[in-house]
Amino acid sequence: MKSLLKISFAAAVLGLFFTSCKDDDDYQTIESVDKVKIDSVKIVNDTMSVFSVQSIRTYSTYDTGCQGFYGYDYIHTGEFDRDITAYQYFTSGNCTQAKHKSASQINFSPQKKGNYTFKFWNGNNNWITKTIVVE
């Protein structure tokens, strides 16, 4: 039993010895998160069955290489109404100044029949409105 403990201890020490302490140059810290307007929305089918799944794709434009998609704020504002706001992250890394467009998606799986209205934030008080009929 003592020899098993010695082998385990030696393996742990060797593991620490071979672990690098060098910083990863590709790692960038997220400095902040803020809203990003959704430029366009693609819904493949405007009619679907209850309990099925459909991907809703959103497209946004980012100003630099230090920005990217962070997540969605998906709010149920009514039984069949959804307000969706996208968020972007800002990193501390070296930034390119080229604008880039990015696609993200939400998987919608309705649990009830009805007409669902989605409002996607497009900047200021503007919204892109899409409707999906669930049968």
Side-chain angles (χ1 to χ4, degrees), residues 46-128:
D46 59 358
T47 302
M48 61 187 289
S49 300
V50 70
F51 301 115
S52 62
V53 178
Q54 178 176 194
S55 295
I56 301 171
R57 294 188 66 85
T58 65
Y59 300 88
S60 297
T61 303
Y62 301 93
D63 291 331
T64 72
C66 293
Q67 297 168 273
F69 178 75
Y70 185 76
Y72 290 110
D73 194 4
Y74 185 93
I75 300 174
H76 295 242
T77 57
E79 186 174 12
F80 298 104
D81 301 321
R82 310 291 187 262
D83 287 358
I84 300 164
T85 305
Y87 286 85
Q88 64 185 328
Y89 64 81
F90 298 88
T91 66
S92 61
N94 293 328
C95 301
T96 61
Q97 293 303 315
K99 289 188 178 216
H100 64 280
K101 198 168 197 105
S102 180
S104 302
Q105 76 178 29
I106 298 168
N107 290 327
F108 177 55
S109 180
Q111 306 298 304
K112 190 175 191 181
K113 293 180 181 181
N115 295 334
Y116 289 79
T117 302
F118 293 86
K119 291 178 14 184
F120 299 88
W121 187 75
N122 185 250
N124 298 323
N125 286 326
N126 300 319
W127 299 84
I128 297 170

